[in-house]
């Protein structure tokens, strides 16, 4: 006879945190959000500790190199999506690892034979007023000049004017040579009253810019997630099909941690992938696995050697796996069950395997609930897809700005490897949708707000770190009536009075 779980499958919205005693030390500025991302033995510290418990999902519409850099600045990590060529994914990893804090690769470049009209169009596209003039118009071409907003006046010049006629030529540029430190570059900016300092190599090729405005920005990111060489940390997704070719390429590119990207992780294919990593690299290469929704799946992957286990099936906003196949579990129930298995595994083996809650986050307070239920960190897709830094288009639909967002199981992504069951390649049916999400602005502003809410909630619960949140917090189930009570009710909201006649 089939096994039946006693409890219903529950979501985060069915729970509330119960406030606890708060001492005078329970202030947001005292809350520490560091959390392990890879396993460790009892008495040891995890080899990789996130500064904030947020990671971006292994999705085309979410995690590219631009997102990875932006999130690492805030203390989290991105997993670069695997549904692309090995060469393309490795190139993204390299761009993150070569991005030096304060040193910016030029993404606004032009040839000297192009025109003022091209400059104006480029500025509209990129939003940047500093444009490097290189012989071939590429970001690492041989530099011949520089154009800034002070180089031209659109109202007094012909659009056909060649860039070479109004650019600042190389002979008049103040520049730095490759190898200069950030401190030395900033000194040059201030000493020469510059807004931008080109950095060039011995062949006069542009390598980076250092901008005056980035000085304050760099100081404003105390949680930057860096490796021992002060490079941004970055993760990468892999699949169970081409892992023997993909994983070595990603490791060579500098990926700090890998994650098997699959809709269901309780499989022999995942075990084979983990065993390949262990045989080839030992414990030097870190790899997470998943997804699972109950203790048997967790124990299987932990025994296989996974460095972390991802929890959640069918709870993503663009996922229709439950509709299509009738499998999955409410995210709250899944996290609670797997966290209990994680704790039992730790007690029996002395090995702590972190778990990642993937999916089901609708509101910011769900983040804190997931952590309180036992998740060590959270993987978010829809949340990050709304920001400037996501790789999708920003559109105006019916007067509102949105960003495109699609699932890896959609026909648009066609990431059949994520749903691979060992048969012939290709997708038989969709397990994700193609959609829009409301545009939300910059990652930094939104993450800061979300973390502020998280810290405030933790203080209300009387805790100042994630382990204490998991150990000491009280949670309660809520009824449908109490959910209604929890929002504004029995009042007329002021923004609604305009519709009252």
């Amino acid at each position: 006879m089939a096994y039946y779980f006693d409890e219903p499958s529950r979501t985060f919205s069915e729970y509330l945190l119960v406030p606890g005693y708060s001492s005078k030390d329970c202030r947001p500025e005292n809350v520490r959000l560091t959390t392990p991302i890879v396993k460790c033995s009892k008495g040891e510290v995890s080899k990789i500790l996130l500064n904030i418990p947020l990671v971006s999902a292994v999705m085309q519409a979410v995690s590219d190199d631009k997102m990875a850099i932006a999130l690492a600045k805030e203390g989290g990590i991105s997993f670069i999506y695997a549904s692309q060529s090995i060469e393309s994914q490795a190139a993204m990893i390299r761009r993150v690892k070569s991005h030096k804090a304060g040193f910016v690769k030029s993404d606004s470049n032009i040839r000297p034979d192009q025109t003022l009209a091209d400059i104006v169009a480029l500025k509209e596209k990129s939003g940047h007023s500093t444009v490097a003039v290189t012989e071939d118009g590429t970001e690492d071409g041989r530099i011949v000049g520089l154009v800034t907003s002070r180089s031209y006046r659109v109202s007094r010049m012909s659009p056909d004017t060649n860039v070479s006629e109004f650019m600042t030529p190389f002979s008049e540029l103040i520049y730095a040579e490759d190898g200069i430190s950030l401190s030395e570059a900033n000194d040059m900016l201030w000493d020469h009253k510059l807004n931008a300092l080109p950095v060039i190599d011995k062949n006069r090729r542009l390598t980076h810019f250092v901008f005056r405005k980035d000085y304050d920005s760099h100081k404003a990111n105390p949680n930057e997630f860096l490796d021992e060489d002060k490079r941004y940390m970055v993760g990468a997704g892999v699949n169970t099909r081409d892992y023997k070719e993909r994983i070595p390429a990603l490791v060579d590119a500098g990926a700090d941690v890998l994650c098997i990207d699959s809709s269901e992780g309780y499989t022999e294919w995942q075990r084979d992938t983990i065993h390949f990593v262990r045989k080839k690299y030992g414990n030097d290469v870190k790899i997470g696995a998943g997804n699972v929704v109950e203790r048997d799946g967790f124990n299987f992957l932990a025994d296989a050697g996974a460095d972390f286990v991802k929890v959640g099936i069918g709870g993503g906003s663009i996922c229709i796996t439950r509709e299509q196949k009738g499998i999955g579990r409410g995210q709250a129930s899944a996290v609670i069950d797997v966290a209990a298995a994680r704790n039992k595994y730790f007690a029996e083996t002395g090995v702590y395997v972190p778990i990642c809650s993937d999916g089901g986050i609708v509101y910011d307070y769900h983040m804190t609930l997931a952590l309180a239920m036992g998740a060590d960190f959270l993987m978010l897709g829809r949340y990050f897809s709304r920001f400037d830094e996501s790789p999708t288009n920003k559109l105006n639909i019916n007067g509102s700005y949105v960003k495109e967002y699609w699932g890896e199981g959609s026909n648009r992504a066609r990431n059949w490897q994520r749903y691979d069951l060992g048969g012939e390649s290709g997708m038989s049916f969709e397990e994700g949708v193609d959609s829009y999400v409301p545009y939300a602005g910059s990652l930094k502003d939104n993450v800061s707000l979300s973390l502020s809410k998280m810290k405030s909630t933790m203080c209300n619960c009387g805790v100042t770190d994630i382990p204490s949140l998991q150990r000491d917090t009280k949670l309660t189930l809520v009824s449908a009536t109490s959910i209604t009570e929890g929002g504004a009710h029995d009042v007329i909201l002021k923004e609604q009075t305009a519709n009252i006649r």
Side-chain angles (χ1 to χ4, degrees):
M1 181 176 176
Y3 177 82
Y4 290 84
F5 286 89
D6 293 331
E7 285 292 318
S9 180
R10 299 191 181 279
T11 67
F12 293 131
S13 290
E14 296 179 77
Y15 288 89
L16 285 175
L17 291 157
V18 176
Y21 169 73
S22 300
S23 70
K24 292 181 179 179
D25 289 330
C26 287
R27 301 193 305 272
E29 61 267 27
N30 291 338
V31 173
R32 298 181 303 280
L33 295 177
T34 53
T35 190
I37 193 173
V38 297
K39 67 183 179 183
C40 59
S41 298
K42 188 175 183 179
E44 297 180 348
V45 177
S46 174
K47 296 291 185 182
I48 306 178
L49 286 172
L50 288 166
N51 292 328
I52 63 173
L54 307 181
V55 307
S56 66
V58 193
M59 300 177 69
Q60 295 174 13
V62 180
S63 296
D64 66 351
D65 49 303
K66 184 178 179 182
M67 173 63 71
I69 292 169
L71 184 51
K73 286 181 179 180
E74 302 307 313
I77 194 170
S78 293
F79 286 88
I80 304 294
Y81 66 92
S83 50
Q84 59 179 314
S85 70
I86 295 173
E87 295 75 18
S88 176
Q89 188 182 19
M92 287 188 180
I93 297 294
R94 290 192 182 93
R95 285 198 289 272
V96 178
K97 299 306 291 186
S98 65
H99 183 96
K100 295 185 285 185
F103 290 85
V104 181
K105 294 291 286 185
S106 176
D107 59 2
S108 294
N109 310 284
I110 205 163
R111 300 189 312 274
D113 60 341
Q114 291 183 263
T115 66
L116 175 60
D118 294 321
I119 287 284
V120 173
L122 183 59
K123 182 178 179 180
E124 289 179 356
K125 179 181 177 181
S126 68
H128 300 150
S129 57
T130 299
V131 179
V133 186
T134 60
E135 286 182 344
D136 58 3
T138 64
E139 66 178 27
D140 54 0
R142 195 164 185 266
I143 190 167
V144 294
L146 194 67
V147 173
T148 70
S149 58
R150 292 181 292 181
S151 302
Y152 59 89
R153 293 188 67 177
V154 175
S155 61
R156 296 191 177 187
M157 296 169 59
S158 168
D160 297 329
T161 306
N162 279 356
V163 169
S164 59
E165 295 183 31
F166 59 86
M167 69 180 187
T168 302
F170 178 77
S171 59
E172 298 178 17
L173 287 181
I174 295 173
Y175 60 88
E177 295 181 355
D178 197 27
I180 190 173
S181 70
L182 182 60
S183 176
E184 292 169 335
N186 281 321
D187 285 342
M188 289 187 67
L189 283 171
W190 290 100
D191 291 345
H192 296 281
K193 298 180 175 62
L194 303 174
N195 289 321
L197 178 70
V199 180
I200 64 172
D201 66 14
K202 60 183 180 181
N203 296 316
R204 218 175 91 181
R205 294 188 178 276
L206 181 66
T207 63
H208 297 91
F209 272 113
V210 178
F211 293 99
R212 179 192 290 258
K213 64 180 178 62
D214 286 340
Y215 176 81
D216 292 332
S217 173
H218 180 59
K219 293 295 183 181
N221 295 315
N223 287 326
E224 285 183 318
F225 193 33
L226 307 172
D227 64 17
E228 58 186 13
D229 296 318
K230 304 299 182 184
R231 301 176 301 175
Y232 287 127
M233 298 280 279
V234 61
V238 299
N239 61 60
T240 57
R241 278 274 180 162
D242 64 6
Y243 61 89
K244 292 182 181 179
E245 295 77 38
R246 188 175 293 269
I247 288 176
L250 299 181
V251 171
D252 288 345
D256 297 288
V257 58
L258 306 175
C259 177
I260 302 175
D261 178 34
S262 174
S263 65
E264 205 274 297
Y266 193 1
T267 71
E268 185 175 359
W269 296 288
Q270 292 226 358
R271 182 173 60 190
D272 289 347
T273 304
I274 297 169
H275 285 179
F276 167 80
V277 170
R278 294 293 170 250
K279 183 176 180 179
K280 186 174 181 65
Y281 299 103
N283 291 318
D284 292 337
V285 170
K286 307 301 181 184
I287 183 168
N291 288 17
V292 301
V293 293
E294 44 78 56
R295 61 190 61 209
D296 291 343
F298 170 85
N299 289 331
F300 172 81
L301 292 175
D303 287 340
D307 284 292
F308 65 85
V309 173
K310 209 142 61 79
V311 181
I313 294 176
S317 60
I318 40 65
C319 183
I320 54 173
T321 294
R322 296 180 193 175
E323 291 180 22
Q324 295 282 56
K325 297 164 72 173
I327 65 169
R329 197 177 188 187
Q331 190 66 10
S333 296
V335 171
I336 292 169
D337 195 6
V338 175
R342 186 265 322 276
N343 294 341
K344 182 179 180 183
Y345 190 89
F346 178 54
E348 293 174 351
T349 68
V351 177
Y352 187 87
V353 181
I355 63 173
C356 168
S357 177
D358 177 17
I361 301 291
V362 180
Y363 306 108
D364 282 353
Y365 82 90
H366 287 173
M367 297 180 187
T368 317
L369 277 170
L371 295 172
M373 290 173 179
D376 295 282
F377 59 100
L378 317 173
M379 179 170 280
L380 306 169
R382 181 196 63 84
Y383 177 83
F384 286 114
S385 71
R386 304 170 302 145
F387 304 152
D388 289 319
E389 294 80 3
S390 74
T392 63
N393 294 318
K394 175 184 172 185
L395 306 172
N396 189 312
I397 305 293
N398 296 326
S400 298
Y401 283 106
V402 298
K403 294 208 75 177
E404 295 178 299
Y405 181 45
W406 60 92
E408 289 296 295
S410 67
N411 279 329
R412 180 170 183 172
R414 301 205 66 80
N415 182 9
W416 62 269
Q417 295 94 331
R418 189 176 196 275
Y419 304 87
D420 184 24
L421 294 176
E424 294 183 3
S425 61
M427 287 176 58
S428 300
F429 54 89
E430 285 187 290
E431 292 190 47
V433 299
D434 198 342
S435 64
Y436 301 116
V437 290
Y439 168 68
S442 74
L443 179 145
K444 182 177 182 62
D445 291 344
N446 283 276
V447 167
S448 296
L449 178 60
S450 297
L451 295 181
S452 178
K453 293 178 184 179
M454 185 183 295
K455 291 178 179 181
S456 181
T457 302
M458 290 171 66
C459 289
N460 290 142
C461 293
V463 299
T464 56
D465 57 46
I466 293 174
S468 299
L469 178 71
Q470 296 171 342
R471 183 184 64 244
D472 301 333
T473 298
K474 298 176 183 178
L475 296 101
T476 182
L477 279 167
V478 296
S479 67
T481 306
S482 65
I483 291 175
T484 301
E485 180 187 62
H489 60 91
D490 301 318
V491 295
I492 299 173
L493 298 179
K494 289 185 176 180
E495 58 262 32
Q496 294 176 347
T497 58
N499 298 320
I500 297 176
R501 296 292 185 264

